[in-house]
Amino acid sequence: MRSVTVRIDDRLLSDAKMFAAQRGQTLGSVVEEALRQMLDRTEEAGERPRADFPVCGEEGGQPLVDVSPEGLKRLLFEEDIERYAR
């Protein structure tokens, strides 16, 4: 096992130390476990088949719905108005 020096945000380090203490673990074991989980998720994500969802839109591939944050906010607002108007 090797010793490594890393820079960690003060708040994150404090939270990690508290997390380790609450579970009776060392900070090193918590960091190792977190890295293993992150690497496992990354590997699993690479193995998953890509999901293709059907999309409807105008010819030329332009969506019928504005999916920008502003467009979605407007769409949800209009949907709320319709729902509460009934």
Side-chain angles (χ1 to χ4, degrees):
M1 186 165 312
R2 294 184 68 176
S3 177
V4 177
T5 301
V6 295
R7 293 182 188 269
I8 300 176
D9 175 78
D10 289 338
R11 175 64 189 240
L12 179 60
L13 180 59
S14 176
D15 290 348
K17 285 179 178 180
M18 187 179 303
F19 182 89
Q22 290 171 342
R23 285 159 182 75
Q25 295 178 276
T26 65
L27 177 61
S29 67
V30 167
V31 171
E32 282 183 21
E33 183 180 337
L35 284 171
R36 279 193 189 97
Q37 288 179 12
M38 182 186 69
L39 294 172
D40 288 346
R41 279 194 309 266
T42 302
E43 187 176 303
E44 289 170 7
E47 295 172 358
R48 274 188 242 135
R50 180 174 165 79
D52 290 319
F53 296 101
V55 178
C56 297
E58 299 173 351
E59 261 185 62
Q62 294 299 317
L64 295 173
V65 175
D66 178 4
V67 293
S68 69
E70 297 80 21
L72 292 174
K73 184 176 179 180
R74 186 173 43 254
L75 177 69
L76 292 172
F77 180 73
E78 291 168 1
E79 185 179 86
D80 283 347
I81 290 173
E82 289 176 19
R83 180 176 295 129
Y84 291 111
R86 289 186 234 154

